[in-house]
Amino acid sequence: GDSVTQMEGPVTLSEEAFLTINCTYTATGYPSLFWYVQYPGEGLQLLLKATKADDKGSNKGFEATYRKETTSFHLEKGSVQVSDSAVYFCALRLPYGQNFVFGPGTRLSVLP
Amino acid sequence: DGGITQSPKYLFRKEGQNVTLSCEQNLNHDAMYWYRQDPGQGLRLIYYSQIVNDFQKGDIAEGYSVSREKKESFPLTVTSAQKNPTAFYLCASSIGGQRVEKLFFGSGTQLSVL
């Protein structure tokens, strides 16, 4: 079945450090890929997305590139801030479906 | 402002009791969803609805029920048959059809068993 795998957390970084959160997927067909972010006590918000191979999604300094050959969509940020502390979810949606498949989430803590 | 409103924010259930979680959206979205979030397990789909008066089971529908009598409302009932209901419940919506690009989420309801 379709699935998303993320690196286990929690990830703890110092402010201004480089961030990478790995995400790989298994899917039949060519899915759209997403990163969502969840701040404490809140729902999820879309962070960025990519709809086809080699697309790069970016937002608020975060980037992820759709790599079809490695079935990956790793999230990166060059310099994290304390305000980036949250849980990050990788997700996919198949092209002819409305349902999203979410990974387990990776908790990021950024220390001042 | 457009968005999704979930209520209550915290809910407690007694043994053998049914409880209903409210979800209202004013985004004029056709599709609505209910997800369950457990620590370390991500989000799992309970039910979804693509149009009024129609809904489909997700991956973990047992012990839950829904209705979709109005476009803007998609309440979820956690029945007494759900033996492990403690979780964070998230409602979401999206435009319908094949143009779905993202989900809009409410702020969630934390359900606990007394």
Side-chain angles (χ1 to χ4, degrees):
Chain A
D2 306 313
S3 65
V4 176
T5 303
Q6 290 179 235
M7 62 187 292
E8 291 190 18
V11 174
T12 303
L13 296 173
S14 298
E15 205 165 23
E16 299 184 1
F18 184 85
L19 168 70
T20 299
I21 300 178
N22 290 338
C23 170
T24 57
Y25 67 90
T26 301
T28 52
Y30 301 100
S32 296
L33 301 174
F34 305 81
W35 277 101
Y36 280 83
V37 59
Q38 183 180 33
Y39 298 101
E42 298 183 8
L44 280 67
Q45 305 172 25
L46 179 66
L47 181 59
L48 53 84
K49 65 179 173 73
T51 56
K52 62 182 187 297
D54 299 326
D55 270 1
K56 178 186 282 187
S58 62
N59 186 26
K60 299 180 181 179
F62 291 89
E63 292 184 342
T65 301
Y66 190 143
R67 301 289 187 198
K68 182 179 147 187
E69 63 276 10
T70 54
T71 61
S72 65
F73 192 55
H74 304 322
L75 182 69
E76 297 181 336
K77 186 175 185 182
S79 177
V80 293
Q81 305 300 312
V82 172
S83 57
D84 293 327
S85 298
V87 181
Y88 292 81
F89 292 90
C90 186
L92 66 83
R93 183 185 70 82
L94 293 173
Y96 297 107
Q98 288 204 9
N99 298 341
F100 287 67
V101 177
F102 287 86
T106 301
R107 181 175 300 278
L108 170 67
S109 295
V110 181
L111 304 178
Chain B
D1 288 339
I4 299 179
T5 301
Q6 289 188 243
S7 61
K9 192 167 181 66
Y10 300 96
L11 186 59
F12 297 91
R13 193 190 90 166
K14 296 179 182 178
E15 289 288 337
Q17 185 182 41
N18 293 351
V19 292
T20 297
L21 285 61
S22 170
C23 178
E24 304 277 333
Q25 55 101 356
N26 60 3
L27 299 166
N28 199 33
H29 285 166
D30 287 315
M32 297 187 74
Y33 312 76
W34 274 106
Y35 288 91
R36 171 177 170 142
Q37 184 178 17
D38 294 281
Q41 293 192 40
L43 278 67
R44 292 183 289 169
L45 183 64
I46 305 172
Y47 270 98
Y48 66 100
S49 168
Q50 298 184 23
I51 196 168
V52 174
N53 292 323
D54 186 51
F55 48 83
Q56 287 80 40
K57 294 181 179 180
D59 301 319
I60 55 165
E62 186 175 350
Y64 300 96
S65 66
V66 294
S67 63
R68 186 88 187 276
E69 297 177 0
K70 298 186 296 182
K71 185 175 184 178
E72 58 270 23
S73 178
F74 191 42
L76 173 74
T77 296
V78 184
T79 74
S80 57
Q82 174 49 247
K83 298 307 180 186
N84 184 24
T86 297
F88 191 55
Y89 290 86
L90 286 163
C91 179
S93 71
S94 70
I95 60 174
Q98 297 180 12
R99 295 179 295 123
V100 176
E101 291 192 342
K102 74 177 197 179
L103 297 174
F104 293 77
F105 283 86
S107 56
T109 294
Q110 176 64 51
L111 175 62
S112 302
V113 176
L114 289 177

